[in-house]
Amino acid sequence: MKEGAIVLDLSRMRQVIVDADARIVTVQGGAKILDVDLELGRHGLMCVSGTHQNLGVVGCILGGGVGYASRKHGLAADNLVSAEIVLADGRVKTCSPTKHEDLYWSLRGGGGGIGVVTAVTLKCYPLRNAALLTFNLYAPNSRFRRKILEEWSRWICGDTDDEDSVDSNFNCGAPREVYSQIILPTNSSSIPCIATSVDPEVVPQSEFRLEQYREMIKIKLKRSRFFRNSSKSDDHRLPTCWSRVPGLADLRSNKFGAPFRSNSSFRMVRYYDELQGLSSKYLHSGNVFIACKYAKTLSTRIIAVLVEASSGKKSPSNESRIFITSAGHNTSETSSKETAFVSTN
């Protein structure tokens, strides 16, 4: 924080107003992502925000904001419709693509420091349910960690080994509806991996279909206790399943070079609370320090640094972890003329 800066508590300004017909949501400056998720969930909508519900919505936009649907809909900053800001001289300005364009540009991933943002309006998209796949990869040594990162980045983003060779054609890999995150612990050989899909073509969106899925899974588990081959044969009856979700289906056989994986779990989940609340499993409340870096690709050089930091001689061997999140597709399709988020390009 800069010397002489002022910290303002906006925690009482948490109103969320949804215009379901226009598919926009207006959020006061003190609202958290959780506040927005809960309100949008009642309407079967979502907006692009961060993956940690305790974060502030405005802070997420100012920092860019990578969420589970960013590869399809862009960053949180890319979905900003307008914002209300109080400048240092006390003037209140409402900025948008056609009004006070310079302020609007700077708020889209610019990092703040311009004024106090008291309200933002964001685009919304219809989405009730998503597919979620979680599993742990076994990496007994640095060689396997390196191999896992190489294969994971190739699957999700189509990364090459050469950082300087990345161009406009690098956005291949998994479909844009798929998001993935891999977590490098410093005190364990087990590497958690998350993969999700927000593709409504393969994930039914009604509440009825979600409940139907859950009931059928219960029946399937009961049958598997008595019939050895019933597990896979029953999949075609489910509203959705692992093998029918593009991108995620690849991971039935692809273990990213790990000797084996454990605790594999595919499920259909509600977006607004079950998927968005997933981070609470990996990040617990307390004194948490998070630093973020962005890269065009996971090059050989970057992978070497990550592996050394998480399992080398200088690794802290404590609860420190490195979260690596997929980007690409729509997160890199906005030009620097449209957004202040310099890492976009």
Side-chain angles (χ1 to χ4, degrees):
M1 183 177 294
K2 295 180 180 179
E3 184 177 351
I6 298 174
V7 177
L8 298 179
D9 182 1
L10 302 184
S11 60
R12 293 186 179 183
M13 300 176 62
R14 298 174 67 168
Q15 186 181 42
V16 178
I17 301 174
V18 179
D19 186 336
D21 293 331
R23 290 186 181 173
I24 58 173
V25 58
T26 300
V27 183
Q28 286 190 324
K32 294 184 177 182
I33 292 173
L34 175 62
D35 301 320
V36 181
D37 287 341
L38 292 176
E39 194 61 37
L40 287 177
R42 298 188 180 100
H43 298 271
L45 297 171
M46 58 77 64
C47 69
V48 179
S49 58
T51 56
H52 306 296
Q53 289 185 313
N54 281 327
L55 291 176
V57 175
V58 170
C60 185
I61 295 168
L62 294 175
V66 178
Y68 292 114
S70 283
R71 283 165 54 85
K72 183 177 183 180
H73 298 304
L75 302 172
D78 298 332
N79 287 274
L80 180 65
V81 176
S82 64
E84 180 185 84
I85 181 172
V86 181
L87 302 177
D89 60 7
R91 289 180 297 162
V92 180
K93 299 290 185 180
T94 298
C95 55
S96 69
T98 58
K99 192 175 182 180
H100 303 297
E101 296 92 331
D102 54 342
L103 282 175
Y104 176 74
W105 176 88
S106 65
L107 293 179
R108 300 180 74 194
I114 301 167
V116 180
V117 180
T118 53
V120 293
T121 298
L122 299 167
K123 296 177 186 176
C124 299
Y125 303 93
L127 189 75
R128 288 185 183 275
N129 304 320
L132 171 62
L133 173 65
T134 58
F135 53 85
N136 294 328
L137 298 167
Y138 179 58
N141 54 43
S142 297
R143 179 172 66 87
F144 279 105
R145 288 196 174 216
R146 189 177 302 109
K147 181 66 173 177
I148 288 170
L149 290 180
E150 290 172 350
E151 294 296 325
W152 175 81
S153 63
R154 188 171 293 116
W155 163 72
I156 188 66
C157 288
D159 279 352
T160 65
D161 292 333
D162 185 1
E163 185 180 38
D164 297 326
S165 70
V166 177
D167 57 25
S168 59
N169 296 318
F170 90 101
N171 282 329
C172 47
R176 65 182 60 223
E177 291 84 6
V178 172
Y179 163 99
S180 187
Q181 182 182 83
I182 200 164
I183 304 171
L184 294 181
T186 61
N187 59 356
S188 174
S189 58
S190 181
I191 298 178
C193 184
I194 301 164
T196 71
S197 175
V198 294
D199 186 352
E201 296 298 320
V202 293
V203 183
Q205 292 301 299
S206 70
E207 293 182 17
F208 168 76
R209 295 288 273 170
L210 177 59
E211 291 304 316
Q212 183 186 43
Y213 172 84
R214 289 173 172 168
E215 288 301 317
M216 293 181 73
I217 287 295
K218 291 179 183 178
I219 296 172
K220 177 182 173 182
L221 291 175
K222 289 180 180 179
R223 286 174 57 86
S224 65
R225 296 174 185 173
F226 302 99
F227 303 98
R228 182 177 299 177
N229 297 323
S230 66
S231 179
K232 292 184 179 179
S233 63
D234 288 343
D235 281 355
H236 72 279
R237 299 189 180 97
L238 295 170
T240 190
C241 66
W242 188 349
S243 61
R244 298 211 302 268
V245 180
L248 272 58
D250 302 337
L251 304 185
R252 289 185 69 89
S253 58
N254 186 355
K255 301 191 294 292
F256 305 135
F260 64 86
R261 66 182 171 204
S262 60
N263 301 322
S264 297
S265 174
F266 173 89
R267 51 206 184 273
M268 181 175 164
V269 296
R270 275 194 308 271
Y271 181 88
Y272 79 88
D273 59 343
E274 294 176 330
L275 183 55
Q276 281 288 91
L278 185 66
S279 63
S280 61
K281 178 181 177 181
Y282 302 98
L283 283 178
H284 304 292
S285 59
N287 296 321
V288 178
F289 175 78
I290 300 176
C292 298
K293 298 292 182 181
Y294 297 90
K296 292 180 180 179
T297 180
L298 279 185
S299 64
T300 302
R301 180 177 58 187
I302 292 175
I303 288 175
V305 171
L306 294 173
V307 171
E308 178 64 22
S310 62
S311 63
K313 294 180 180 180
K314 295 184 179 180
S315 172
S317 297
N318 54 22
E319 293 187 11
S320 299
R321 287 159 292 173
I322 301 174
F323 290 74
I324 307 170
T325 298
S326 59
H329 283 295
N330 277 10
T331 62
S332 55
E333 293 178 359
T334 304
S335 71
S336 58
K337 294 181 180 180
E338 298 175 277
T339 174
F341 187 66
V342 294
S343 300
T344 298
N345 205 3

